[in-house]
Amino acid sequence: MSDTAKNYVNGEWVESETGETIDVQNPANPSETVATYQKSDGSDAKEAVEAAVAAKAEWANTPGPERGRILREAGTLLGQRKEELTDKLVAEEGKARGEASGEVQRAIDIFHYFSAKASDLGGTVKGASGQNTNLYTREMPVGVAALVTPWNYPIAIPAWKLAPALAAGNAVVLKPASLAPGVVIEIARALDEAGLPDGVLNVVTGPGSAVGSEFIENEGTDAVSFTGSSQVGEMVYEQATDAGKRVQTELGGKNPTVVMDSADPAEAADIVANGGFGTTGQSCTACSRAIVHEDVYDEFVDELVDRAESIDIGPGNEHEMGPQVSEDELNSTLEYVDIAQDEGATLAAGGGVPEGDDVEEGYFVEPAVFTDVTNDMRIAQEEVFGPVVAVIKVSDFEEGLDVANDVEYGLSASVVTDDHTEANRFVEEAEAGVVKVNDKTTGLELHVPFGGVKRSSSETWREQGDAGLDFYTIEKTVYDSY
């Protein structure tokens, strides 16, 4: 077991006032404790907010290029430690090594991207109606941003919240997910070594009910960004808005891929398998519904079943698909497998706990394919957050589009078709914040907006790219008469 990691508050590594700790186990081998972290409470969170409030003015007045230099140096340090960070991510979250390495690289790229954007922040000059007047805008930081991040992308999501917040001149308090906080601690370490002033970033580990709630409700924080389940996110949104905060939430999904009769079934099955089974299905943008034209349905199902059954399952360092992150997540997936069968769906592949020496102790599950699914079944309506794909048969494009939209969520959606008219209509009419043509529902570029509609988002502010900066800035209009 490694030494107990500490919170990062006001430029110092400190223990929680509770004296309690949290052990993080390896989901591929739960008897192995990977690391131990502080189990902090509201008083620890309050101290972090106080440190951020004290530091925000100096950081806001730091020139953008200097802020960018620090972000760039932090990204470089993360790059130098990429293998170490990948090891930590695999051990704590369970993700397959290739996926974990790609996620770490994404965090590095995000810091480098926003390091450049920090120099561009300033404002715009406008023409005034009268003479002898300068009319322009200034982009000001919001103040102190409270970030609450999830376990499924434990370095990428904190990075795409934190980097634009710092680039825009905000101080930050951050609560990482308790299941996999280690890589966030390493981000704080890199920023500290890069020269970030004391108090500008504060990281406190512990339960959301104590640490997260204090961050959200404390009068010292000005903005709240949360990623997680819709149920929790809606409570966070209510808390934050009641406290008068600017708030951004990115939540769950029930993401469809519509496969039309012009599609090649094998190619479509590759797209759905990559979107549905990648990251063990533990992605808010994962494909959980394949909505398939009846003319290619049978062949598509055969191809998807082949892919599900050929996936190599085991510990992430040696296998294609790792475990679910916890026993609770595994049990939830297995429960949905039972529910689907009870409602009349046919289990065409997987859905059980695999056997073998490599998978004997961990939270492993076989990727599942369900057929004979109707859109009123729970398996077609509720987020599973595991490697489970429900295949729904439709007779034409109109029915496919209707089924795709007939859920409470609207995060990501894709269509597989050779018909340009169908593709264009899907782009226009799919009720989702991210729409793809002939591509999987997962995978995001870092320089374009990301967010959902309906229960997938607060529909207030987008993340990533220039849209990510918008959330962390307030525009001030200046009239300068001379």
Side-chain angles (χ1 to χ4, degrees):
M1 183 191 305
S2 62
D3 293 337
T4 301
K6 298 179 180 180
N7 292 330
Y8 180 68
V9 178
N10 202 25
E12 300 290 337
W13 296 98
V14 297
E15 294 181 352
S16 167
E17 294 184 8
T18 67
E20 299 181 58
T21 58
I22 303 168
D23 288 338
V24 172
Q25 275 77 36
N26 181 348
N29 181 15
S31 63
E32 175 192 348
T33 296
V34 177
T36 302
Y37 299 93
Q38 304 298 313
K39 187 177 182 180
S40 309
D41 64 6
S43 61
D44 298 299
K46 184 177 180 181
E47 288 184 10
V49 174
E50 290 171 352
V53 170
K56 68 179 182 179
E58 179 185 353
W59 183 243
N61 290 323
T62 300
E66 173 60 14
R67 297 198 298 261
R69 184 199 65 76
I70 292 171
L71 292 178
R72 184 170 57 254
E73 176 62 19
T76 299
L77 290 169
L78 293 174
Q80 293 170 356
R81 300 164 188 170
K82 183 177 177 180
E83 289 303 308
E84 173 190 339
L85 293 168
T86 299
D87 289 340
K88 188 176 290 289
L89 201 161
V90 172
E92 291 192 352
E93 199 269 351
K95 195 167 290 186
R97 188 169 189 83
E99 295 170 340
S101 178
E103 183 184 342
V104 172
Q105 186 59 52
R106 183 179 182 83
I108 296 164
D109 294 343
I110 286 167
F111 272 93
H112 286 156
Y113 172 81
F114 283 107
S115 73
K117 299 297 287 186
S119 297
D120 292 336
L121 290 168
T124 58
V125 177
K126 301 292 185 179
S129 300
Q131 295 182 342
N132 303 326
T133 299
N134 293 323
L135 181 61
Y136 59 96
T137 65
R138 294 281 304 276
E139 290 176 325
M140 313 298 294
V142 173
V144 176
L147 314 181
V148 181
T149 61
W151 53 261
N152 62 322
Y153 285 92
I155 190 167
I157 291 178
W160 82 46
K161 294 180 186 293
L162 176 59
L166 295 177
N170 297 277
V172 173
V173 291
L174 195 165
K175 193 208 88 66
S178 296
L179 287 171
V183 282
V184 170
I185 297 294
E186 294 307 315
I187 288 178
R189 199 179 312 279
L191 283 162
D192 181 77
E193 293 178 27
L196 189 72
D198 294 349
V200 174
L201 170 62
N202 305 273
V203 177
V204 179
T205 57
S209 58
V211 177
S213 292
E214 179 64 30
F215 282 172
I216 293 163
E217 296 178 350
N218 191 294
E219 63 181 13
T221 60
D222 304 288
V224 176
S225 181
F226 170 90
T227 297
S229 71
S230 295
Q231 182 180 7
V232 176
E234 286 158 4
M235 291 189 291
V236 167
Y237 182 81
E238 185 174 347
Q239 276 184 290
T241 53
D242 284 350
K245 312 294 171 101
R246 176 180 291 207
V247 60
Q248 167 192 75
T249 64
E250 294 304 339
L251 310 173
K254 193 65 184 171
N255 311 293
T257 295
V258 176
V259 180
M260 292 310 301
D261 55 337
S262 62
D264 175 76
E267 179 183 346
D270 283 338
I271 289 170
V272 170
N274 288 335
F277 304 141
T279 65
T280 320
Q282 298 177 135
S283 171
C284 55
T285 56
C287 175
S288 58
R289 295 182 296 149
I291 302 166
V292 184
H293 193 285
E294 59 189 8
D295 288 353
V296 293
Y297 180 88
D298 290 339
E299 189 175 352
F300 170 85
V301 168
D302 289 343
E303 295 281 357
L304 186 61
V305 166
D306 285 346
R307 282 152 185 76
E309 293 179 342
S310 68
I311 290 175
D312 178 36
I313 306 168
N317 274 323
E318 300 91 22
H319 297 272
E320 183 183 359
M321 191 175 90
Q324 299 218 244
V325 72
S326 68
E327 186 175 14
D328 285 346
E329 291 295 329
L330 172 62
N331 289 338
S332 176
T333 298
L334 295 174
E335 182 180 359
Y336 270 108
V337 170
D338 290 339
I339 289 169
Q341 293 177 95
D342 289 343
E343 290 188 336
T346 300
L347 182 61
V353 174
E355 297 179 353
D357 293 341
D358 282 350
V359 294
E360 185 175 358
E361 295 186 21
Y363 305 128
F364 297 98
V365 64
E366 298 166 335
V369 177
F370 278 99
T371 59
D372 303 314
V373 177
T374 58
N375 211 42
D376 58 345
M377 294 179 178
R378 289 180 63 185
I379 197 73
Q381 290 290 321
E382 299 176 12
E383 186 175 39
V384 177
F385 228 65
V388 178
V389 175
V391 187
I392 303 171
K393 184 188 295 187
V394 294
S395 59
D396 56 26
F397 176 78
E398 296 292 343
E399 185 182 4
L401 182 63
D402 288 345
V403 169
N405 289 337
D406 188 23
V407 289
E408 292 183 325
Y409 301 96
L411 187 55
S412 182
S414 72
V415 64
V416 185
T417 181
D418 286 340
D419 186 315
H420 199 56
T421 298
E422 290 175 347
N424 284 339
R425 281 198 58 196
F426 192 82
V427 167
E428 293 296 325
E429 299 177 42
E431 295 172 358
V434 175
V435 182
K436 298 187 175 186
V437 177
N438 297 326
D439 199 0
K440 61 183 180 179
T441 56
T442 52
L444 305 167
E445 298 276 3
L446 61 85
H447 60 291
V448 292
F450 169 65
V453 298
K454 299 192 282 190
R455 287 194 72 197
S456 291
S457 171
S458 57
E459 298 184 354
T460 46
W461 307 85
R462 292 311 199 210
E463 296 192 281
Q464 305 197 114
D466 289 335
L469 287 167
D470 288 344
F471 176 68
Y472 297 105
T473 56
I474 295 176
E475 215 165 26
K476 178 186 291 186
T477 303
V478 179
Y479 294 79
D480 176 17
S481 299
Y482 57 92

